[in-house]
Amino acid sequence: MGGFAVNSALVIFGLFLGSLQGFFPVASSFEFKHHDNRELLQVLETVHQTCPNITRIYTLSETSVMGVPLYVIEFATQPGQHEALRPEFKYIANMHGNEVLGRELLLKLADYLCEQYRANDPEIRSLISKTRIHLLPSMNPDGWKLSTDQGGQDYLLGRSNANSVDLNRDFPDLDRIIFGNEVLHINHNNHLMDQLTQLDHPVQPETLAVMRLIMSIPFALSANMHGGDLVANYPYDASRSGASSEYTETPDDETFRYLSLSYSLPHPTMASPKRRACELNDGENFGKTQGIVNGAKWYSVRGGMQDFNYLSSNDFEITLELGCKKYPPQQELQGEWNANKASLINFMWQVHTGVKGIVRDSIAGKPISNALIHVKNITQINSTHAVSQHINHDVTSVFDGDYFRLLTPGQYLLTASYSGYKPQTRRVKVQNPRHHEATRLDFWLEPVDSSGPEFVPLPSSVEAEVSPKSNGYFRDDNPLTNDFSQIHGYGNENQEANQENLTPPSKDWLVKFMYQQIANM
C-alpha cells in the first residue's frame, strides 16, 4: 500500500506540473549557429520529440545529387493528412546553397512553433490548429556544403547543386506556355503541366523532388528564401516580351503585392526608405518601394520555382530575399531571427485570406474535386462606380472538394464549374480580418439539365459562416482525406497513408512524364 501511495502521489504531482506548462516559459535548447547537414536533421528530430502530436518529419522523393535526404518538418493538429478547409502552406530555403540565412531561420521557426505551442501561445496554437505547415530548410544541401567548406564568403561558389545547375533556372518553363496562350487567346490559365509536351533539359533530382511535392500537396501559399538583397519578390519572374527588365504582372498582381507587403512591412528595415541599398554603387534601394518588387521588373528569370508554383498548381508563391549577406556570420543569426520572426508568422497567416469552401454534388452531397473556381472583381469604388474585372487565373477544388482562393479585401463573384454540372455563381465580400479564417463560400452544383449559369446571392450577410466542424459538412469516411503526399514520412506512425482513387496527377504520373522526356532527348 505504501508503494501505491507514493506512486499515486508522483502521478498527481506530474499532472500538476503539466497543468502549469502554460504559465511558465518553455525552455528551448536551440543554438544559433550554422548547422551542418547532420545537425539539421538533429534539430528537426528534437522538435518532433518535443512536440510529437503536432509534427511529422518526412523526406522528399529524391535525394540531392550527393545522396543527402531533403528533410521536411510538418506542423498540424493531424500530421500526415490533408484536412478539408485547412489550407496548406510551405516555406523552402537554401535553394541556392550559398544563401544560408533562410535555412537557419526555418530551423529556428520549427523550434519556435513547437516551443510556443507548448507554452500555450494563443496565436501559435490558433495558427497550427487552422493550418498545415511544411518547412523544407535546405533544398540544396550539396551546395551548402561546398560553400561552407570554402569559408562561405564566395558570392557564387555553392550557389548551384553538385551538377553545377542553378535550381532556380531548372523548373519547366510554364511562363512560355501562359504567354503563348495569351497571344493565341487560349482560355487555359492554370495547371499548365498538361500543356507541357517536351523538356529542353533533364531536371535535377532536387528540382524533381520539389515538383513532386507541389503536385502531391494542394498548397495555397508559399515562399522560397534567398539572400543577396532585402526584398519580397512576386510573380511573374519572367518577362512577357523577353526583355531583361520589364514589369510583368499576373492576373493576381494586386493579391501578390498584398502578400509581399505582409512580409515586408512587419520587418524592421525591409520596407524602410531610409535604409541603404545592398549594392552601394548600382544596387536598387527597394525600401523606397515598401520592400517589394515585381520579379521580371527587377530582372527576368526563366525556369524559376516561383512562377512554376503559380502556373502548375493552386499555390501562390513569392520569393524572399532576406538580406545583403548571403552567408552572414554566426553572431548575426539571432539578430536576423528577431528581425524576421514577425514577418515569418504574419506571412503564414495570409494563407487564410480570401475565400474558401467546398464544392459538392447537390443531389448526392458528395464532394467534387477538380472543379474550376473563377473570380470576377466587382468591388465598389464609389457610389456610382464599381470594378468589373475578371481575374483570369482559376484555381481548382481538391480532394474533399475544398478550395482556397487568396484575394484582397473587396467584393467578388465566384463561379464554380465542373463537366456535367451547371455552373453556379455566388457573390461574396472579402474582409480579411487579422488572424481569422478565410470567408466561407460553398457551392452545390446540379447536374446539367438546362443552359446558363445559376446566380445564387448570399443571404442578408454577404460573409458566409464558417462551420464549427473543422472537417466541413457531411463528412464521411472517404479515404481521400488521408495522407496523399506519401513522401517517405516518419514520426507519426498512427497516421496511415491511403492513395486510392486520387484524381489529381500523382507523383508517379509526374515521374513517368519526366523520365519519358529525358529518354527522348
Side-chain angles (χ1 to χ4, degrees):
M1 289 292 291
F4 175 78
V6 171
N7 290 336
S8 299
L10 289 174
V11 169
I12 294 171
F13 182 65
L15 292 173
F16 170 72
L17 290 178
S19 70
L20 297 179
Q21 187 179 68
F23 295 94
F24 296 98
V26 178
S28 168
S29 60
F30 185 85
E31 180 183 0
F32 285 99
K33 57 174 285 188
H34 289 290
H35 297 84
D36 65 27
N37 292 330
R38 177 182 54 82
E39 293 168 333
L40 181 151
L41 176 58
Q42 290 174 348
V43 171
L44 300 184
E45 287 178 331
T46 297
V47 170
H48 171 65
Q49 291 162 7
T50 306
C51 293
N53 295 327
I54 60 165
T55 61
R56 180 178 72 114
I57 300 171
Y58 62 91
T59 60
L60 298 192
S61 58
E62 316 292 320
T63 66
S64 71
V65 172
M66 301 303 293
V68 180
L70 305 180
Y71 294 105
V72 181
I73 188 166
E74 170 194 341
F75 287 82
T77 51
Q78 295 189 47
Q81 64 180 25
H82 176 73
E83 297 180 75
L85 297 174
R86 295 197 182 183
E88 308 263 1
F89 176 93
K90 74 177 185 309
Y91 276 131
I92 292 180
N94 202 205
M95 182 183 202
H96 289 147
N98 65 335
E99 299 170 12
V100 304
L101 179 56
R103 173 183 171 118
E104 297 306 323
L105 290 182
L106 290 193
L107 291 177
K108 178 55 187 175
L109 179 60
D111 174 77
Y112 179 80
L113 291 175
C114 173
E115 173 189 81
Q116 295 306 305
Y117 188 90
R118 294 181 66 229
N120 289 325
D121 181 298
E123 178 185 14
I124 299 304
R125 279 193 163 253
S126 179
L127 178 63
I128 292 174
S129 71
K130 294 176 170 67
T131 323
R132 190 180 180 207
I133 300 165
H134 305 253
L135 309 178
L136 171 58
S138 182
M139 183 179 167
N140 186 4
D142 299 347
W144 178 90
K145 187 175 188 306
L146 176 61
S147 176
T148 302
D149 287 348
Q150 299 301 315
Q153 299 305 308
D154 190 285
Y155 199 77
L156 293 177
L157 191 65
R159 173 186 175 90
S160 301
N161 74 345
N163 285 335
S164 300
V165 174
D166 186 332
L167 299 179
N168 206 32
R169 308 293 188 275
D170 192 45
F171 284 79
D173 183 5
L174 300 184
D175 296 283
R176 174 183 57 83
I177 295 175
I178 190 64
F179 298 156
N181 287 352
E182 292 172 356
V183 170
L184 297 174
H185 303 287
I186 297 174
N187 187 26
H188 188 185
N189 58 36
N190 65 94
H191 295 77
L192 298 180
M193 283 292 286
D194 62 353
Q195 282 191 265
L196 187 67
T197 58
Q198 62 181 2
L199 294 173
D200 61 1
H201 67 282
V203 297
Q204 295 299 298
E206 298 92 344
T207 307
L208 179 58
V210 171
M211 289 175 65
R212 291 176 69 170
L213 177 69
I214 294 166
M215 295 293 105
S216 299
I217 298 178
F219 295 105
L221 178 64
S222 62
N224 70 85
M225 298 178 168
H226 291 255
D229 216 308
L230 188 61
V231 66
N233 173 110
Y234 57 91
Y236 286 120
D237 253 345
S239 65
R240 277 186 173 84
S241 70
S244 61
S245 175
E246 172 186 79
Y247 196 107
T248 307
E249 75 281 357
T250 68
D252 288 289
D253 191 64
E254 182 180 350
T255 298
F256 273 118
R257 291 176 58 83
Y258 180 90
L259 294 170
S260 300
L261 288 169
S262 76
Y263 196 95
S264 69
L265 292 179
H267 192 283
T269 58
M270 186 178 284
S272 172
K274 297 180 180 179
R275 69 174 174 88
R276 302 174 72 179
C278 284
E279 298 177 19
L280 298 182
N281 294 326
D282 56 359
E284 184 173 351
N285 186 350
F286 294 112
K288 295 179 180 179
T289 57
Q290 296 187 293
I292 68 174
V293 65
N294 174 258
K297 177 65 172 69
W298 188 8
Y299 59 92
S300 181
V301 170
R302 293 278 180 169
M305 182 165 68
Q306 173 177 270
D307 289 4
F308 178 83
N309 273 275
Y310 181 63
L311 295 173
S312 70
S313 71
N314 292 331
D315 190 10
F316 284 45
E317 176 159 297
I318 67 170
T319 299
L320 299 172
E321 297 281 349
L322 295 171
C324 302
K325 297 178 182 178
K326 291 190 173 188
Y327 205 120
Q330 177 173 313
Q331 61 268 24
E332 295 182 9
L333 294 177
Q334 184 165 2
E336 291 289 357
W337 162 253
N338 293 334
N340 283 277
K341 178 173 69 174
S343 294
L344 289 165
I345 301 299
N346 189 55
F347 185 73
M348 286 192 286
W349 273 108
Q350 305 314 303
V351 77
H352 295 285
T353 57
V355 184
K356 68 178 181 179
I358 296 178
V359 183
R360 295 186 181 277
D361 182 304
S362 65
I363 306 300
K366 293 291 185 180
I368 300 174
S369 60
N370 285 330
L372 206 64
I373 308 297
H374 178 75
V375 179
K376 182 179 182 181
N377 188 347
I378 57 167
T379 301
Q380 197 74 27
I381 300 173
N382 53 41
S383 59
T384 59
H385 293 81
V387 176
S388 179
Q389 181 179 12
H390 291 276
I391 301 177
N392 291 317
H393 180 82
D394 303 330
V395 299
T396 57
S397 60
V398 295
F399 306 106
D400 281 326
D402 52 333
Y403 74 92
F404 306 88
R405 188 40 166 110
L406 306 186
L407 292 165
T408 58
Q411 293 84 42
Y412 301 91
L413 294 177
L414 269 65
T415 300
S417 60
Y418 188 75
S419 178
Y421 291 83
K422 294 169 57 178
Q424 186 182 67
T425 298
R426 299 190 68 181
R427 185 191 305 266
V428 67
K429 181 179 181 180
V430 173
Q431 295 178 308
N432 293 344
R434 187 172 184 267
H435 294 183
H436 282 69
E437 295 183 62
T439 300
R440 176 79 178 270
L441 189 69
D442 290 349
F443 291 92
W444 298 81
L445 301 188
E446 299 180 16
V448 172
D449 59 4
S450 62
S451 60
E454 178 184 0
F455 180 76
V456 182
L458 285 175
S460 55
S461 171
V462 293
E463 186 162 6
E465 71 173 276
V466 176
S467 167
K469 295 182 179 180
S470 63
N471 289 332
Y473 301 114
F474 303 131
R475 180 58 179 257
D476 55 26
D477 293 326
N478 192 310
L480 294 182
T481 58
N482 288 344
D483 177 15
F484 50 81
S485 60
Q486 195 71 323
I487 311 177
H488 306 314
Y490 71 91
N492 217 300
E493 292 77 7
N494 61 342
Q495 302 287 356
E496 294 188 2
N498 192 320
Q499 287 271 23
E500 297 177 3
N501 302 320
L502 297 187
T503 51
S506 69
K507 62 181 185 180
D508 296 324
W509 168 88
L510 182 61
V511 169
K512 182 179 179 181
F513 173 82
M514 290 298 173
Y515 287 138
Q516 283 177 340
Q517 296 301 317
I518 293 169
N520 292 333
M521 291 185 65

